[in-house]
Coordinates of all heavy atoms in Angstrom, one line a residue:
E1073 N 13.6 0.4 12.4 CA 13.9 1.2 11.2 C 12.6 1.4 10.4 O 11.7 0.6 10.4 CB 15.0 0.6 10.5 CG 14.9 -0.9 10.2 CD 14.1 -1.2 9.0 OE1 14.1 -0.4 8.1 OE2 13.5 -2.3 8.9
R1083 N -0.3 -3.6 7.7 CA -1.2 -4.8 7.9 C -2.6 -4.4 8.3 O -3.5 -5.2 8.0 CB -0.6 -5.8 8.9 CG 0.8 -6.3 8.5 CD 1.4 -7.1 9.6 NE 2.7 -7.6 9.2 CZ 3.6 -8.2 10.1 NH1 3.2 -8.3 11.4 NH2 4.8 -8.6 9.7
R1093 N 10.9 11.5 -0.6 CA 12.3 11.6 0.0 C 12.2 11.9 1.5 O 11.3 12.5 1.9 CB 13.1 12.7 -0.7 CG 13.4 12.5 -2.2 CD 14.6 11.6 -2.4 NE 15.8 12.3 -1.8 CZ 16.5 13.2 -2.4 NH1 16.1 13.7 -3.6 NH2 17.6 13.7 -1.8
P1117 N -2.4 -0.7 -0.3 CA -1.9 0.3 -1.3 C -1.0 1.4 -0.6 O -1.2 1.8 0.5 CB -3.1 0.9 -1.9 CG -4.2 -0.2 -1.7 CD -3.9 -0.8 -0.4
Q1179 N 17.9 -16.2 -36.9 CA 16.9 -15.1 -36.9 C 15.7 -15.5 -37.6 O 15.7 -15.9 -38.8 CB 17.5 -13.8 -37.5 CG 18.7 -13.2 -36.8 CD 18.2 -12.5 -35.5 OE1 17.2 -11.9 -35.5 NE2 19.0 -12.7 -34.5
D1185 N -0.4 -9.3 -38.2 CA -1.4 -8.5 -38.7 C -1.7 -7.4 -37.7 O -2.3 -7.6 -36.6 CB -2.7 -9.4 -38.9 CG -3.8 -8.6 -39.6 OD1 -4.0 -7.4 -39.2 OD2 -4.5 -9.1 -40.5
E1206 N -19.3 -1.8 -14.3 CA -20.7 -2.1 -13.9 C -20.8 -1.8 -12.4 O -21.9 -1.4 -11.9 CB -21.0 -3.6 -14.2 CG -21.0 -3.8 -15.7 CD -21.3 -5.3 -16.0 OE1 -21.5 -6.1 -15.0 OE2 -21.3 -5.7 -17.2
A1240 N 1.9 -3.5 -8.7 CA 3.3 -3.7 -8.4 C 4.0 -4.5 -9.4 O 5.2 -4.3 -9.7 CB 3.3 -4.5 -7.0
G1242 N 3.3 -6.6 -13.5 CA 2.4 -6.8 -14.6 C 2.7 -8.1 -15.4 O 3.4 -9.0 -14.9
Q1256 N 8.6 1.0 -11.0 CA 9.8 1.7 -10.6 C 9.9 3.0 -11.4 O 10.3 4.0 -10.8 CB 11.0 0.8 -10.8 CG 11.1 -0.4 -9.9 CD 12.1 -0.2 -8.8 OE1 12.5 0.9 -8.5 NE2 12.4 -1.3 -8.1

Side-chain angles (χ1 to χ4, degrees):
E1073 47 85 27
R1083 295 173 185 169
R1093 294 277 300 277
Q1179 295 287 318
D1185 183 318
E1206 294 177 5
Q1256 291 262 13

